[in-house]
Amino acid sequence: LEPTMSLLLLRLLSAVSASALSNADFKPWTCDEITPDMCDDLTLMMGSVQVRNLSVQYYVYSPREGQKNGMLPLVTVHGGPAFTHNYLLPLKQQACRGRKVIFYDQAGCGESTRVANVSENAPWLLTIDYYIEELHAVVQHLGIDKFHLFGNSWGGLLVLKFAFSRYMDMIQGLVVSGGLSDGIQYAAMQREYLQKTMLPPALSKYMVKIQTEGKFDDPKYKALSARLSSMWTTRLYPYPQCFLDSREKQNEEIYTLVQGPDEFSVAGVLAQTNFTGELHKITAPTLMTHGRFDTMTLPQQQIIANQIPNLHRLITYEQSGHITFIDNAGEYNEDIAAFLSQHDQQPIVM
């Protein structure tokens, strides 16, 4: 960027940040408030399970009268990595419809055991295989042998992997929200179909320059990255409390070592991850979802969808970013409720 353009960009982003801070005294929405038909009489059971000597905290929401006959529980896996379960809470509306909904904080974040210096003290938290083991440990501890499985973002990657693991037969229905199976491809397609098409040319070129040079500490880039989160991560702004809770309780060390410096570039573990060629092994009926303004772009989602033999549908939510179940909580819950009900008791036929 030319010096004058660079100065203008810095002033603009500083003004946006200052405006956001000036409104910090208002009370954010709760995720119950933004979710249509959310009931207020659910029961909550909390507990923990030990996985490799780390405590994993779980939360089970149930209808007060108990789970309806014929309905299977929904197990949810949060993203990040290490972003905590809180932002998924609009999905507890599924419990209002009669089924149990299980959330948990992956080890290292939220109310689960936090580890300092992860690379030395718990290096397995930087591997995908650990999180497959962790998910199985949670459902096994709860005595669940058949369930529906939901994952968003990094959680979408994990549930895709789980769905062709040795535990795959436990899944009755699979919901993948903005998932990925190839880290490098995800970053490249985001740059091609999101940054280049939805940003002014000067900003798009600036992002490529910073990402290529690895200068992620540049103050202008940090401000821009924060601003883009309200365009592409969740478009509901000001952010609701459940999203803010996840952001406050996340583990940035795990996030950086697995994902990279931010949502718009990939390094670390994800840069070495590609299991697209194994997705054909998934047998569970699968619903895929993403947002029109999602960091997980439609072409990237279609590549995944084309590999899954038992794909039910790929839904694009036109007014949503990456966290579609916050941006469009009502329609999203309706769609997954219909999918889950359709597959509660049906045998899986390939």
Side-chain angles (χ1 to χ4, degrees):
L1 292 176
E2 295 296 327
T4 53
M5 175 67 79
S6 180
L7 182 58
L8 177 62
L9 174 61
L10 180 58
R11 288 175 176 171
L12 173 62
L13 295 172
S14 296
V16 170
S17 299
S19 175
L21 288 173
S22 67
N23 291 327
D25 58 348
F26 58 69
K27 185 177 181 181
W29 287 300
T30 69
C31 276
D32 283 6
E33 289 175 321
I34 65 169
T35 307
D37 302 318
M38 181 68 82
C39 56
D40 60 2
D41 61 345
L42 298 175
T43 61
L44 171 61
M45 179 186 74
M46 296 185 293
S48 63
V49 57
Q50 295 291 309
V51 186
R52 301 201 196 185
N53 294 320
L54 299 178
S55 178
V56 176
Q57 181 78 18
Y58 61 78
Y59 310 80
V60 181
Y61 287 88
S62 306
R64 188 166 296 279
E65 64 278 9
Q67 183 167 266
K68 290 183 180 179
N69 288 337
M71 283 190 165
L72 292 173
L74 174 64
V75 178
T76 68
V77 183
H78 67 71
F83 198 59
T84 85
H85 82 283
N86 304 76
Y87 78 106
L88 299 179
L89 287 175
L91 297 176
K92 73 180 183 180
Q93 197 241 52
Q94 296 300 312
C96 301
R97 300 169 184 263
R99 73 176 74 247
K100 290 182 179 180
V101 183
I102 294 95
F103 304 90
Y104 66 97
D105 290 335
Q106 293 159 24
C109 70
E111 300 305 318
S112 295
T113 302
R114 299 184 72 92
V115 181
N117 195 353
V118 173
S119 297
E120 289 189 12
N121 297 323
W124 56 87
L125 295 183
L126 308 178
T127 69
I128 293 172
D129 286 346
Y130 163 76
Y131 295 96
I132 304 303
E133 174 189 344
E134 180 184 72
L135 170 54
H136 180 254
V138 171
V139 295
Q140 184 179 49
H141 175 79
L142 292 171
I144 301 171
D145 56 12
K146 201 75 171 176
F147 55 91
H148 299 297
L149 183 59
F150 170 95
N152 168 250
S153 194
W154 158 254
L157 179 152
L158 296 178
V159 301
L160 284 168
K161 189 82 169 177
F162 192 92
F164 63 86
S165 72
R166 61 189 175 128
Y167 310 119
M168 60 189 291
D169 290 340
M170 302 179 79
I171 305 174
Q172 185 69 15
L174 179 66
V175 182
V176 184
S177 167
L180 70 156
S181 58
D182 182 341
I184 295 297
Q185 180 191 74
Y186 149 68
M189 298 190 97
Q190 181 192 120
R191 190 175 299 119
E192 182 68 25
Y193 295 102
L194 199 66
Q195 296 176 19
K196 287 186 179 180
T197 61
M198 293 189 181
L199 290 179
L203 287 188
S204 179
K205 291 177 181 178
Y206 171 71
M207 289 190 74
V208 171
K209 180 177 184 293
I210 291 294
Q211 292 165 355
T212 301
E213 296 176 354
K215 296 180 178 179
F216 298 102
D217 289 332
D218 183 289
K220 294 189 297 297
Y221 182 82
K222 284 188 171 183
L224 176 59
S225 178
R227 177 68 182 89
L228 293 179
S229 290
S230 66
M231 295 170 55
W232 296 338
T233 302
T234 174
R235 295 170 64 81
L236 185 69
Y237 195 85
Y239 298 133
Q241 189 61 53
C242 60
F243 178 83
L244 296 174
D245 289 342
S246 284
R247 192 164 66 177
E248 179 183 352
K249 298 175 183 178
Q250 70 179 323
N251 187 314
E252 293 186 6
E253 181 186 6
I254 294 175
Y255 176 90
T256 301
L257 291 172
V258 175
Q259 157 82 30
D262 60 24
E263 289 295 293
F264 312 112
S265 54
V266 166
V269 174
L270 280 189
Q272 283 83 48
T273 298
N274 180 4
F275 54 83
T276 304
E278 298 184 86
L279 295 176
H280 67 276
K281 300 176 185 178
I282 296 174
T283 59
T286 303
L287 173 65
M288 291 182 58
T289 68
H290 86 123
R292 167 70 177 84
F293 304 95
D294 203 324
T295 49
M296 307 296 183
T297 61
L298 180 57
Q300 179 249 347
Q301 293 293 286
Q302 288 172 327
I303 290 173
I304 296 174
N306 290 339
Q307 302 300 313
I308 297 177
N310 204 357
L311 181 71
H312 173 80
R313 189 180 173 195
L314 169 58
I315 303 176
T316 299
Y317 293 89
E318 293 294 334
Q319 298 167 308
S320 299
H322 186 44
I323 307 181
T324 46
F325 43 89
I326 283 181
D327 289 345
N328 196 342
E331 185 178 355
Y332 197 92
N333 271 292
E334 289 291 337
D335 287 339
I336 67 168
F339 171 76
L340 299 181
S341 295
Q342 180 178 347
H343 296 285
D344 266 324
Q345 297 299 326
Q346 288 189 2
I348 296 175
V349 179
M350 294 299 297

